[in-house]
Amino acid sequence: MSAETSSQAESPAARRCLLIRDLVVPCAIGVHEHERHGTQRVRINVRIQVTDDERPIDDSIANVVSYETIVDGIRAIIGGGHINLVETLADRIVELCLANRRVSGVRVRVEKLDLYPDADGVGVEVERSR
């Protein structure tokens, strides 16, 4: 095996990071009675670590993890009905992301924006990896 072939075989897989920043959506969320009668704004941030396949991207959306698919999935989760906890919403988003075999890790932050007038937001951050 040549030195060039050896270094290629030992090189780590290429990685990239997909970001969804400050997605603000109305969500039926909360455990308190006053939170069960309508929606409140939540801010969602997602950081997805992607391990690239050996195939080239070739400027094709079919060859990448699509942020459009993730955002649509988040909206579907939220549209599925009332959720009690921000932790539950974050976990569901993590599961959505990890359903793609190319995703090696994900960090999700979910914040309620209108709960306290003296705080920009309150919530949870969840991080998982394979």
Side-chain angles (χ1 to χ4, degrees), residues 22-27 29 35 40-45 86 109-123:
D22 297 334
L23 176 66
V24 177
V25 291
C27 183
I29 193 166
E35 294 177 302
Q40 54 188 305
R41 293 181 318 138
V42 295
R43 178 174 43 225
I44 298 169
N45 285 277
V86 290
R109 178 183 296 168
V110 176
E111 299 172 275
K112 292 181 180 183
L113 299 181
D114 303 318
L115 201 55
Y116 298 105
D118 52 347
D120 285 342
V122 295

Side-chain angles (χ1 to χ4, degrees), residues 78-89:
I78 289 171
H82 186 88
I83 299 168
N84 285 331
L85 303 173
V86 290
E87 290 86 351
T88 301
L89 178 54

Side-chain angles (χ1 to χ4, degrees), residues 9-118:
E10 294 172 9
S11 66
R15 293 190 173 200
R16 67 184 71 244
C17 186
L18 181 119
L19 301 171
I20 300 167
R21 290 188 52 228
D22 297 334
L23 176 66
V24 177
V25 291
C27 183
I29 193 166
V31 296
H32 299 293
E33 186 61 31
H34 68 276
E35 294 177 302
R36 296 188 173 275
H37 305 291
T39 60
Q40 54 188 305
R41 293 181 318 138
V42 295
R43 178 174 43 225
I44 298 169
N45 285 277
V46 183
R47 182 179 191 276
I48 302 170
Q49 189 72 37
V50 177
T51 302
D52 287 335
D53 288 340
E54 292 182 15
R55 66 181 174 201
I57 292 174
D58 287 336
D59 202 26
S60 172
I61 195 165
N63 296 330
V64 298
V65 176
S66 169
Y67 56 79
E68 180 179 20
T69 301
I70 302 300
V71 170
D72 289 348
I74 291 169
R75 289 186 172 136
I77 290 166
I78 289 171
H82 186 88
I83 299 168
N84 285 331
L85 303 173
V86 290
E87 290 86 351
T88 301
L89 178 54
D91 285 344
R92 290 179 184 172
I93 295 169
V94 166
E95 290 170 12
L96 167 72
C97 296
L98 288 174
N100 187 310
R101 65 175 180 74
R102 293 177 57 198
V103 172
S104 58
V106 61
R107 178 184 300 154
V108 174
R109 178 183 296 168
V110 176
E111 299 172 275
K112 292 181 180 183
L113 299 181
D114 303 318
L115 201 55
Y116 298 105
D118 52 347

Side-chain angles (χ1 to χ4, degrees), residues 115-130:
L115 201 55
Y116 298 105
D118 52 347
D120 285 342
V122 295
V124 67
E125 185 170 274
V126 176
E127 187 169 355
R128 299 233 174 82
S129 60
R130 293 193 194 275

